[in-house]
């Protein structure tokens, strides 16, 4: 059924052979927020046959201004972002197989998530996950497309391991925590999202159809408010780069005992158990009813208790709002979820 793709097949760069390649391709989108939803919609409409969408969070009203796939009803139901996204993709293109994964991407799962994929699209909002993606993609020789947007500024770069510089070739060290503006501190407007996501999608289509000579080969920067567009041509990979030169993948080797993390500027902390486990959400909801107002859906339980709001997912992860203090969050987790 190539009819629905007729305008894309007419386009010289893709053609029927390219379309068949897209239909047989598998892309993973890590982080399903503003960039991720825009990427997912475009790739599904373009007929990329298999999409894996991973996100740890749920839809909130403040997402709707820029996260174009989500609706008010997704926010009311507090659906996990990956699930809400896959639901909408099924209506947009039922031929596409969309695999929604509600999880925190970290060293314990990233290699399994990306291994069978042809391309990885960055839809995250933080550098630690990007360095993790970079390590995993270089290790497994999978192309990935970096993208970020904050305020009216955005940046993107395509990494082909050992052919182009990797993220660490360009930015040797991760910027220190809280050193850069984030969408939670500086806001973000939708046009910069559209531009960065569009560039990432164009690069993904070139990669998936094997047209490497069409890749832009640069670090692209845009500012839609101050009208600045910059393109810094990329050189070769840096031979002494820790990741692609020396093949030391330190983010994949992190200690698995404990990954509680402060979420950037949202007055929220995520607490994860040290080992994989499953929570029976129905019985947890029953238990929590005595403690405060409880909301249950098939993917999560939310408890409002005093100034705090705990959202607990099936994988035993919790996002605790109302604090940015890790010990407080841990003690709330121990109190209500247990460990
Ligand atoms: Zn490198």
């Amino acid at each position: 059924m190539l009819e629905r793709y007729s305008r894309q097949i007419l386009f010289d760069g893709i053609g029927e052979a390219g379309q068949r390649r897209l239909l047989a391709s598998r892309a993973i989108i890590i982080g399903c927020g503003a960039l991720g939803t825009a990427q997912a919609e475009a790739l599904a409409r373009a007929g990329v046959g298999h999409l894996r969408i991973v996100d740890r969070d749920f839809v909130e009203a403040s997402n709707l201004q820029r996260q174009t796939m989500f609706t008010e009803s997704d926010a009311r139901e507090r659906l996990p972002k990956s699930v809400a996204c896959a639901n909408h993709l099924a209506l947009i293109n039922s031929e596409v197989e969309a695999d929604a994964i509600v999880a925190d991407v970290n060293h314990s799962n990233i290699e399994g998530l990306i291994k069978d994929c042809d391309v990885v699209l960055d839809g995250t909002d933080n550098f630690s996950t990007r360095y993790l993606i970079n390590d995993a993609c270089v290790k497994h020789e999978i192309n990935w497309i970096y993208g970020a947007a904050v305020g009216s500024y955005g940046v993107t770069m395509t990494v082909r391991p050992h052919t182009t510089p990797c993220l660490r070739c360009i930015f040797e060290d991760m910027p220190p925590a809280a050193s850069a503006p984030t969408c939670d501190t500086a806001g973000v407007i939708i046009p910069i999202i559209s531009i960065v996501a569009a560039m990432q999608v164009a690069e993904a289509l070139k990669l998936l159809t094997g047209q490497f000579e069409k890749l832009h080969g640069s670090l692209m920067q845009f500012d839609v408010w101050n009208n600045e567009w910059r393109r810094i041509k990329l050189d070769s990979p840096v031979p002494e780069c820790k990741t692609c030169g020396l093949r030391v993948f330190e983010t994949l080797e992190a200690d698995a005992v404990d990954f509680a993390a402060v979420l950037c500027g949202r007055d929220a902390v995520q607490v994860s158990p040290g080992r994989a486990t499953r929570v029976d959400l129905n019985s947890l909801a029953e238990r929590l009813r005595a403690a405060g107002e409880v909301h249950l859906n098939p993917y999560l339980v939310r408890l409002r208790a005093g100034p705090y709001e705990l959202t607990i997912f099936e994988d035993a992860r919790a996002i605790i709002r109302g604090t940015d203090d890790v010990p407080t969050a841990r003690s709330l987790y121990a109190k209500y979820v247990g460990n």
Side-chain angles (χ1 to χ4, degrees):
M1 278 308 294
L2 292 179
E3 176 55 29
R4 70 178 290 156
Y5 306 111
S6 60
R7 302 306 186 272
Q8 194 163 275
I9 289 170
L10 276 173
F11 173 65
D12 252 358
I14 297 201
E16 190 175 325
Q19 188 62 53
R20 291 191 191 281
R21 288 183 71 161
L22 294 179
L23 289 166
S25 297
R26 184 179 296 273
I28 178 169
I29 293 170
I30 298 184
C32 188
L35 291 172
T37 49
Q39 296 158 6
E41 178 176 353
L43 293 180
R45 289 190 189 275
V48 173
H50 309 269
L51 295 176
R52 180 170 296 150
I53 296 144
V54 196
D55 195 281
R56 64 184 178 188
D57 220 336
F58 52 86
V59 183
E60 295 175 277
S62 66
N63 302 149
L64 301 178
Q65 158 259 350
R66 66 195 179 284
Q67 302 187 14
T68 49
M69 186 88 72
F70 302 137
T71 63
E72 291 180 357
S73 128
D74 296 329
R76 267 196 306 276
E77 292 173 42
R78 301 200 143 231
L79 285 183
K81 290 183 174 181
S82 57
V83 171
C85 180
N87 290 346
H88 295 299
L89 292 182
L91 300 173
I92 290 168
N93 190 344
S94 58
E95 291 174 1
V96 168
E97 180 199 310
D99 180 13
I101 296 175
V102 185
D104 180 44
V105 175
N106 56 53
H107 69 277
S108 73
N109 59 9
I110 186 157
E111 294 179 71
L113 287 169
I114 67 163
K115 248 179 193 164
D116 59 344
C117 294
D118 302 301
V119 67
V120 177
L121 286 96
D122 173 14
T124 66
D125 60 0
N126 64 84
F127 265 99
S128 53
T129 312
R130 293 194 182 104
Y131 279 84
L132 183 76
I133 293 172
N134 190 59
D135 276 2
C137 285
V138 171
K139 182 173 174 187
H140 294 280
E141 312 266 341
I142 297 168
N143 299 319
W144 77 279
I145 307 165
Y146 160 53
V150 60
S152 58
Y153 168 81
V155 56
T156 181
M157 176 175 90
T158 301
V159 176
R160 295 175 64 207
H162 307 298
T163 300
T164 70
C166 78
L167 186 67
R168 203 180 285 279
C169 290
I170 305 292
F171 307 108
E172 192 181 342
D173 293 308
M174 203 181 303
S179 65
T182 72
C183 295
D184 295 290
T185 59
V188 61
I189 54 174
I190 198 167
I192 190 59
I193 300 291
S194 311
I195 287 177
V196 174
M199 287 306 307
Q200 289 180 286
V201 167
E203 293 281 283
L205 297 178
K206 297 170 197 170
L207 287 170
L208 295 174
T209 55
Q211 295 175 71
F212 303 122
E213 73 288 354
K214 291 290 187 186
L215 296 164
H216 61 68
S218 53
L219 184 72
M220 287 230 193
Q221 298 171 307
F222 317 93
D223 188 323
V224 292
W225 210 256
N226 299 304
N227 311 308
E228 289 167 3
W229 305 69
R230 239 194 321 265
R231 185 174 169 200
I232 302 165
K233 262 312 213 192
L234 295 177
D235 216 344
S236 318
V238 175
E240 59 273 20
C241 168
K242 202 193 287 174
T243 305
C244 68
L246 308 178
R247 296 186 66 82
V248 174
F249 307 115
E250 61 182 22
T251 68
L252 300 178
E253 290 151 14
D255 184 357
V257 176
D258 156 36
F259 19 92
V262 181
L263 298 185
C264 63
R266 261 183 39 172
D267 197 25
V269 175
Q270 172 179 267
V271 177
S272 307
R275 57 201 147 72
T277 174
R278 287 265 150 221
V279 170
D280 179 340
L281 295 176
N282 289 303
S283 62
L284 177 64
E286 278 316 306
R287 264 198 351 254
L288 292 177
R289 281 190 210 284
E293 185 195 326
V294 170
H295 170 96
L296 171 71
N297 72 29
Y299 313 98
L300 56 86
V301 177
R302 189 189 67 206
L303 165 70
R304 218 185 272 279
Y308 305 112
E309 185 187 284
L310 283 77
T311 303
I312 303 121
F313 297 88
E314 211 180 8
D315 60 3
R317 220 162 25 85
I319 292 176
I320 298 168
R321 301 194 69 164
T323 182
D324 51 14
D325 180 56
V326 170
T328 304
R330 280 186 174 294
S331 79
L332 287 163
Y333 186 90
K335 183 171 167 190
Y336 293 115
V337 187
N339 40 18

